[in-house]
Amino acid sequence: MSRFSAVTDNPHDQRFNQKTGILVTNLGSPDAPTAKALRVYLAEFLSDPRIVEIPRLIWLMILHGIILRVRPKKSAKAYESIWTENGSPLIHITDQQTEKLSLLIKQQGYENTEVVMAMRYGNPSIESGLELLRDKGLTRIIVLPLYPQYSSPTTGSTFDAVATVLKKWRWVPELHFINGYHKTPKYISALAASIAEDLEKHGTPQKLVFSYHGMPKQFLNNGDPYHCLCHQTTSLVVKALGLDKDLVMTTFQSRFGKAEWLKPYTDETLTNFPAQGIHDIAIVSPAFSADCLETLEELEEENREIFEHAGGKSYRYIAALNDRDDHIDALFDVIKPML
């Protein structure tokens, strides 16, 4: 039996017709907000060497001996607090984004395209998404990870997953992999518009916090550009809105473990604000293209409680871009040169 797979049920001149497939990816979600489902999801997620860069054998012993015995139950409660009748918010929103992007692409005259959603961890998997595109006879594939700012644990890991699948194919497609769009004009414009709408409705807070997902500081020291890309995004949005730089602060959230992560930490910053006389804030998280656990539970619930417990009075979270029309237009603008 060959180690390489291929589509063999149709003649090549009929099946391979130069149609373009677009694989829209995001991080992923457990199948259900239960400890059992979280155990499966976290085992896949935390086994990725891009996520945890410590000696493999030692980490796997810690992961399976301690973390997967304790963390799933705790994480399940957090997921349960954001779960909806549509299931995982991240999966549902990404599905909406995929549908709207597909419609826009066809409205722009690119009829010979297929757009499919996939998740780096969990379901639907990247392998299933790629197989679906191959089954449709597509020979050109554009991979669009929905991470505006490149990082090794997100975008780099997505490339790994795509490559793992494609290296088993006999006929490897023409591949375009988008590794970020943190400063593209339409992305910055959409992000600025979402903030401007909030400021117009609620007024200007004492601080506008740009909270990005964190990562171990050692990743930065080893050459990961994510930290710098986040600050570039903040600066471009501040410029687009004409904001006073003293109004804005960039922080990093969602740290895990005991190692030092990118600073300043969002939760510590919020804790300290009231003592500095800052009682009115708005917070936005530009690294997330869709609302998910880290925004709906961590920012909307956990960090709000931290701020208010420290004496803060007014706290508002500005939603992710989700399936806003200007966001979908920005994503189309990213892939248009490859169509």
Side-chain angles (χ1 to χ4, degrees), residues 57-242:
L57 181 58
I58 294 175
W59 172 243
L60 290 178
M61 291 175 63
I62 295 172
L63 176 61
H64 292 279
I66 301 174
I67 294 175
L68 292 180
R69 296 175 183 270
V70 177
R71 191 171 179 84
K73 185 176 181 181
K74 179 180 179 181
S75 295
K77 291 181 179 179
Y79 274 99
E80 188 175 8
S81 73
I82 66 165
W83 215 255
T84 72
E85 60 182 12
N86 294 312
S88 160
L90 176 65
I91 302 293
H92 178 62
I93 294 169
T94 308
D95 186 49
Q96 291 177 311
Q97 292 170 326
T98 301
E99 289 184 7
K100 292 185 73 170
L101 180 61
S102 178
L103 179 61
L104 178 59
I105 289 170
K106 288 180 168 55
Q107 288 175 342
Q108 294 295 319
Y110 300 94
E111 294 292 337
N112 290 328
T113 59
E114 295 285 346
V115 187
V116 171
M117 175 187 76
M119 296 290 141
R120 174 61 186 91
Y121 311 102
N123 297 304
S125 69
I126 284 177
E127 181 170 20
S128 69
L130 288 171
E131 292 286 355
L132 182 58
L133 292 176
R134 181 168 71 162
D135 288 346
K136 293 178 180 292
L138 308 178
T139 56
R140 298 179 69 248
I141 294 178
I142 301 169
V143 181
L144 175 61
L146 294 179
Y147 312 117
Q149 299 81 18
Y150 174 93
S151 76
S152 173
T154 54
T155 323
S157 178
T158 302
F159 180 84
D160 292 347
V162 170
T164 296
V165 175
L166 295 185
K167 72 181 182 181
K168 296 184 291 185
W169 289 12
R170 183 168 296 280
W171 193 333
V172 176
E174 178 183 336
L175 181 68
H176 298 272
F177 186 89
I178 295 168
N179 75 345
Y181 50 94
H182 74 285
K183 61 179 182 179
T184 57
K186 287 193 175 183
Y187 163 67
I188 296 299
S189 178
L191 191 56
S194 72
I195 296 170
E197 289 166 12
D198 177 88
L199 299 183
E200 182 177 359
K201 183 176 181 179
H202 300 288
T204 302
Q206 289 177 279
K207 280 290 183 182
L208 174 61
V209 180
F210 285 66
S211 177
Y212 296 84
H213 198 289
M215 67 163 52
K217 185 179 178 181
Q218 190 60 43
F219 287 21
L220 170 64
N221 295 339
N222 289 342
D224 195 298
Y226 175 74
H227 177 265
C228 303
L229 304 184
C230 293
H231 279 280
Q232 286 180 20
T233 295
T234 298
S235 295
L236 288 169
V237 173
V238 168
K239 182 178 180 181
L241 291 171

